[in-house]
C-alpha cells in the first residue's frame, strides 16, 4: 500500500514549543524522546539528520507526535560507509562474544518492554497487548540468537579423494540492509538484527517513514549497548526517510543482503534492483490468507480464531485472515456466531487495556477500506457486518477508525480483484464450499502464498492439507488461525509473497557467506572424478 507521508521541506525553521497531550508526552518522555525539538533520525555512531522533515502522527487522534530530521542523500552514503567499516571490525569478534552483546540488547529491551510497547501503540496504532507483544518478539529472537551464537555450525563432508576433507564454512556476510513496513515497526527489525548481528554482520535499518520514533527508541537502546562494549555504533545504523532513502540503500553495492518487508508492488522493484547488481535479497511481501472451516471443526475454537485473524491489528497484519471458506453444512451457524463477535467490538483508544479494535494506520488506509467496501457494494456482495467509517468523540475524532467488515461476494472466481489482491484493511470475504479439494483450490488460486489455516478434527483432512496437494503457502496451520507466528520456526511466504524466510528454522544461514573448503592433508594431489591431467 502507499504510505501516507507528510514531508515538510524546511531545513531551517523556528517553531514554538508544542503542547502535546499528556497521553503522548508520558510515553515519549519515558523513552527520552524530546518533546520540544525536532528529533535526529540518523544514527551511524553519531546522531544526526539534515534531510527532509517527516512528521510522526498518532493514528488514534491525528495528533502530531514529533518532527523527525531524516537522512539527506549524503548522510545515507556516509552511514553506508560507516556501516561497512563497522562490519570489517565486527566480523573478527568471536561469535559467542557477539551473542553476549545480543544478551545485553535483550536486557535493554526487556527493561523498557512496556514503554516501547506503548510507543508502538501510540505511533502505529495497534492495541497495547500487541504493541508489547512485538517488543517481546524482539526479546525472544535475541534469546534465540544468543543460543545460535554457539551453534552456527558448518559441516565436514566426506571426500572421494584419499587424504582429503571438505569443510562447509560459514563466515560473516557483510552489510545487511533492513527495510521494514509500518505494521511491525519493532519485530521485523528484531528478527533481522538479531540474526545478522550474531552472524557477525553490520546492519543498516530503513524503517517505515510513518514509524520513525519507534525506530529511534529501539536504536538508542542498541547504541548504548554497543557503546558499553566499545563497539562501533554503525554495527546497528539507522537511516530514517522515505522512498529515496530506501532506494539508496537498495542500490548500494556496499550492502550484501537486502532484507525487505513490505508490499508486493515495492518488493518487485526492490527485488529486481538487488538482482541487477547480483546482491542477495530476502523478500517478505503481502499476504492474502485464507481460513478453511470443515464440518467436523470445533467451532468454539474456529470462530474466535477467525475473529482474531481477521480483526486483530485492525486487519493490518501480513498474516491477517482475508478470505474465509466455510463448508456448506456449518456456514450459517459459523457466520451467525462470527457476526455476534463482530457486533461486540467497540473501537477505542488502543492504549486502554480493554480495547480490542484500534485505528487504521493512516488516512490513506481508511480510504482504501472505503473504496473496497464501495466496490463490494457495486458488485452486489452481501455485507453482513461493518462497511462504515466510525466517527468517535474527541480526542479520537481525528483518528482512523473503521468498522471491520464481513462480505459475501457473488463470485467465487479467485481471479477477481476482490479475491486476488491484498486489501490491507479489516475486510473478510466469505465463500461457501462443498468439499475440501475445492477449498484448497481456492486457497492456492491467488498470487500470494503467506499464511493459511484449516479447522478440522479429521486426520485425513490434516494429512491432505499439509501434504503435496495441500496448501501452497509458507505457513500452513491446523486448528490455529492465520496470524500469530512464533519466532522458533522460519517465517515467510511463497509465490508473490516473495519466498523469503526470517527468524527461526535455518533462516540464519542466509546471513552468512558459505565457503566450500577442500583440504588436502596427504602427500598426493589427486583430481576429483578420477581426472588424469598427466602425460606419464
Ligand atoms: P510499503 O511497501 O509501502 O513500504 C515498505 C518499505 O519500503 C518502507 O520502509 C518504505 O519507505 C520503503 N520503500 C517504498 N518505496 C521504496 C523503493 N522504491 N525502494 C526502496 N524502499 C522503498 O509497505 P507498507 O505499507 O509499509 O507495509 C504493508 C505491506 O507490508 C503489506 O503488503 C504487508 O502484507 C507487508 N508485510 C509483509 C510482511 C511479511 O512478513 N510478509 C510483514 C509485514 C508487512
Amino acid at each position: 500500500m502507499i504510505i501516507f507521508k507528510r514531508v515538510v521541506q524546511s531545513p531551517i525553521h523556528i517553531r514554538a514549543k508544542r503542547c502535546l497531550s499528556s497521553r503522548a508526552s508520558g510515553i515519549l518522555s519515558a523513552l527520552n524522546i524530546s518533546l520540544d525539538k525536532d528529533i535526529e533520525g540518523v544514527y551511524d555512531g553519531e546522531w544526526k539528520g539534515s534531510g527532509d522533515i517527516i512528521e510522526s502522527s498518532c493514528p488514534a487522534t491525528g495528533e502530531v507526535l514529533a518532527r523527525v530530521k531524516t537522512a539527506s542523500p549524503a548522510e545515507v552514503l556516509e552511514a553506508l560507509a560507516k556501516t561497512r567499516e563497522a562490519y570489517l571490525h565486527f566480523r573478527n569478534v568471536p561469535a559467542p562474544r557477539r551473542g553476549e552483546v545480543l544478551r545485553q540488547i535483550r536486557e535493554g529491551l526487556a527493561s523498557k518492554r512496556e514503554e516501547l510497547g506503548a510507543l508502538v501503540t501510540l505511533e502505529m496504532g495497534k492495541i497495547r497487548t500487541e504493541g508489547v507483544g512485538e517488543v517481546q518478539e524482539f526479546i525472544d529472537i535475541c534469546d534465540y540468537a544468543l543460543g545460535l551464537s554457539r551453534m552456527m555450525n558448518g559441516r565436514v563432508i566426506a571426500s572421494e579423494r584419499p587424504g582429503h576433507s571438505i569443510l562447509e564454512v560459514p563466515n560473516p556476510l557483510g552489510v545487511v540492509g533492513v527495510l521494514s513496513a509500518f505494521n511491525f515497526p519493532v519485530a521485523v527489525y528484531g528478527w533481522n538484527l538479531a540474526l545478522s548481528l550474531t552472524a557477525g554482520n553490520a546492519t543498516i535499518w530503513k524503517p517505515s517513514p510513518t514509524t520513525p520514533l519507534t525506530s529511534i527508541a529501539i536504536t538508542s537502546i542498541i547504541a548504548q549497548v554497543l557503546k558499553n562494549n566499545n563497539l562501533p555504533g554503525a554495527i546497528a545504523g539507522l537511516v530514517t526517510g522515505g522512498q529515496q532513502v530506501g532506494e539508496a540503500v537498495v542500490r548500494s553495492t556496499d550492502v550484501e543482503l537486502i532484507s525487505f518487508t513490505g508490499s508486493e508492488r515495492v518488493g518487485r522493484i526492490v527485488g529486481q534492483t538487488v538482482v541487477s547488481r547480483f546482491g542477495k535479497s530476502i523478500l517478505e511481501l503481502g499476504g492474502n490468507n485464507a481460513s478453511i472451516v470443515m464440518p467436523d471443526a470445533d467451532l468454539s475454537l474456529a470462530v474466535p480464531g477467525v475473529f482474531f485473524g481477521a480483526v486483530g491489528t485492525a486487519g493490518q497484519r501480513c498474516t491477517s485472515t482475508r478470505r474465509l471458506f466455510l463448508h456448506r453444512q456449518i456456514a450459517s451457524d459459523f457466520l451467525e456466531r462470527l457476526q455476534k463477535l463482530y457486533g461486540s467490538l467497540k473501537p477505542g483508544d488502543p492504549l486502554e487495556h480493554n480495547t480490542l479494535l484500534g485505528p487504521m494506520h493512516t488516512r490513506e488506509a481508511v480510504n482504501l477500506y472505503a473504496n473496497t467496501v464501495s466496490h463490494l457494494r457495486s458488485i452486489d456482495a452481501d455485507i453482513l457486518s461493518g462497511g462504515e467509517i466510525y466517527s468517535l468523540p474527541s480526542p479520537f475524532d481525528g483518528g482512523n477508525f473503521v468498522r471491520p467488515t464481513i462480505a459475501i461476494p457473488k463470485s467465487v472466481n479467485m481471479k477477481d480483484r476482490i479475491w486476488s489482491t491484498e486489501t490491507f484493511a479489516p475486510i473478510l470475504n466469505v465463500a461457501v464450499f462443498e468439499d475440501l479439494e475445492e477449498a484448497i483450490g481456492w486457497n492456492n488460486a491467488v498470487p500470494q502464498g503467506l499464511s493459511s489455516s484449516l479447522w478440522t478434527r479429521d486426520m485425513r483432512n490434516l494429512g491432505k492439507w499439509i501434504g503435496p496437494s495441500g496448501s501452497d503457502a509458507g505457513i500452513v496451520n491446523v486448528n490455529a488461525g492465520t496470524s500469530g507466528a512464533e519466532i522458533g520456526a522460519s517465517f515467510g511466504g511463497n509465490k508473490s509473497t516473495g519466498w523469503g524466510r526470517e527468524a527461526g528454522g535455518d533462516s540464519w544461514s542466509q546471513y552468512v557467506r558459505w565457503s566450500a573448503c577442500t583440504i588436502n592433508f596427504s602427500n598426493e594431489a589427486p583430481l576429483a572424478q578420477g581426472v588424469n591431467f598427466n602425460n606419464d
Side-chain angles (χ1 to χ4, degrees):
M1 70 179 282
I2 296 166
I3 280 278
F4 179 52
K5 188 183 79 156
R6 288 182 209 145
V7 174
V8 186
Q9 296 275 0
S10 71
I12 306 166
H13 76 281
I14 301 160
R15 78 199 173 85
K17 198 166 172 171
R18 273 180 324 112
C19 193
L20 206 59
S21 67
S22 58
R23 181 179 174 274
S25 60
I27 293 169
L28 300 185
S29 305
L31 291 162
N32 300 322
I33 296 174
S34 171
L35 304 182
D36 51 18
K37 63 178 190 336
D38 293 348
I39 296 164
E40 293 171 323
V42 180
Y43 183 71
D44 62 5
E46 290 166 67
W47 285 98
K48 58 181 92 157
S50 61
D52 292 339
I53 304 273
I54 49 175
E55 288 179 344
S56 165
S57 304
C58 173
T61 60
E63 176 182 27
V64 173
L65 300 171
R67 290 162 46 102
V68 173
K69 298 192 275 185
T70 64
S72 68
E75 283 167 339
V76 178
L77 296 180
E78 193 182 359
L80 284 164
K82 289 217 182 143
T83 309
R84 174 141 293 277
E85 215 176 282
Y87 156 68
L88 296 177
H89 172 76
F90 195 51
R91 65 183 176 180
N92 294 317
V93 173
R97 173 82 199 114
R98 304 194 294 251
E100 165 55 18
V101 173
L102 270 167
R103 192 193 61 73
Q104 293 173 30
I105 292 174
R106 180 233 190 268
E107 293 300 299
L109 293 168
S111 72
K112 291 282 179 193
R113 194 179 87 120
E114 299 302 316
E115 294 85 344
L116 288 167
L119 177 60
V120 171
T121 295
L122 185 71
E123 193 178 41
M124 185 275 156
K126 63 178 63 176
I127 60 171
R128 197 153 186 157
T129 176
E130 294 187 64
V132 173
E134 252 202 84
V135 183
Q136 183 60 45
E137 208 166 339
F138 198 162
I139 293 168
D140 292 343
I141 193 84
C142 285
D143 286 341
Y144 179 89
L146 168 61
L148 256 187
S149 71
R150 290 182 185 266
M151 299 184 333
M152 289 180 300
N153 302 328
R155 270 192 296 226
V156 182
I157 290 150
S159 169
E160 66 191 47
R161 287 170 276 180
H164 284 57
S165 240
I166 304 173
L167 313 182
E168 281 183 351
V169 179
N171 275 303
L173 179 66
V175 171
V176 176
V178 181
L179 283 80
S180 55
F182 77 82
N183 65 326
F184 275 91
V186 172
V188 165
Y189 175 62
W191 295 345
N192 282 284
L193 187 272
L195 295 196
S196 174
L197 200 143
T198 202
N201 304 315
T203 302
I204 186 160
W205 182 16
K206 207 304 279 173
S208 167
T210 51
T211 55
L213 299 181
T214 303
S215 64
I216 289 165
I218 291 282
T219 300
S220 303
I221 289 172
I222 297 170
Q224 189 57 50
V225 172
L226 294 173
K227 193 169 169 204
N228 295 347
N229 287 274
N230 291 320
L231 287 167
I235 286 169
L238 172 72
V239 283
T240 57
Q243 180 178 331
Q244 280 102 351
V245 175
E247 284 170 347
V249 175
V250 168
R251 274 198 309 262
S252 172
T253 49
D254 270 336
V255 181
E256 275 79 0
L257 171 65
I258 292 288
S259 177
F260 175 84
T261 300
S263 58
E264 291 156 87
R265 185 188 69 79
V266 178
R268 187 186 298 274
I269 300 168
V270 167
Q272 286 171 357
T273 307
V274 177
V275 163
S276 75
R277 64 171 178 81
F278 298 115
K280 278 182 79 168
S281 65
I282 297 174
L283 300 176
E284 297 279 1
L285 313 178
N288 189 2
N289 317 296
S291 255
I292 299 174
V293 187
M294 296 299 288
D296 60 282
D298 181 341
L299 296 197
S300 68
L301 303 183
V303 174
V306 168
F307 178 59
F308 173 68
V311 169
T313 330
Q316 299 167 103
R317 287 188 183 217
C318 52
T319 51
S320 290
T321 310
R322 311 211 177 275
R323 299 179 297 146
L324 174 61
F325 304 141
L326 299 173
H327 192 277
R328 185 167 299 285
Q329 281 174 27
I330 47 87
S332 57
D333 183 16
F334 190 100
L335 285 173
E336 204 176 301
R337 297 191 198 194
L338 189 63
Q339 277 174 271
K340 224 173 248 167
L341 287 180
Y342 270 61
S344 69
L345 265 179
K346 288 193 182 49
D349 185 352
L351 285 167
E352 291 295 332
H353 284 286
N354 56 0
T355 301
L356 295 186
L357 180 65
M360 304 295 292
H361 186 53
T362 60
R363 274 280 134 201
E364 274 63 21
V366 174
N367 293 341
L368 176 72
Y369 165 88
N371 291 340
T372 308
V373 169
S374 78
H375 175 67
L376 279 165
R377 291 204 165 105
S378 76
I379 58 170
D380 282 338
D382 278 341
I383 310 278
L384 301 189
S385 270
E388 298 103 40
I389 294 170
Y390 284 113
S391 62
L392 300 190
S394 175
F396 303 107
D397 45 343
N400 306 321
F401 294 91
V402 304
R403 220 175 134 192
T405 299
I406 305 172
I408 309 186
K410 291 260 172 310
S411 154
V412 290
N413 182 353
M414 293 295 136
K415 302 268 176 280
D416 287 353
R417 172 183 129 202
I418 201 68
W419 292 108
S420 66
T421 51
E422 178 197 47
T423 300
F424 217 59
I427 298 174
L428 179 66
N429 291 318
V430 183
V432 175
F433 66 89
E434 304 293 341
D435 59 44
L436 181 57
E437 280 72 20
E438 183 180 31
I440 293 176
W442 291 347
N443 178 74
N444 294 351
V446 295
Q448 308 80 1
L450 180 51
S451 186
S452 56
S453 94
L454 175 71
W455 300 85
T456 185
R457 290 291 186 202
D458 187 328
M459 292 294 284
R460 290 166 299 183
N461 295 334
L462 183 156
K464 185 167 287 173
W465 176 241
I466 66 171
S469 316
S471 170
D472 65 3
I475 298 170
V476 182
N477 292 341
V478 180
N479 297 326
T482 58
S483 66
E486 300 176 24
I487 56 102
S490 65
F491 177 94
N494 304 334
K495 305 192 292 180
S496 74
T497 302
W499 304 99
R501 291 295 183 275
E502 287 176 339
D506 61 359
S507 304
W508 69 270
S509 66
Q510 302 164 103
Y511 295 79
V512 293
R513 163 168 62 78
W514 285 97
S515 312
C517 312
T518 303
I519 317 278
N520 177 3
F521 51 88
S522 73
N523 293 321
E524 309 289 329
L527 296 172
Q529 295 87 41
V531 171
N532 185 7
F533 203 66
N534 189 334
N535 283 333
D536 300 343

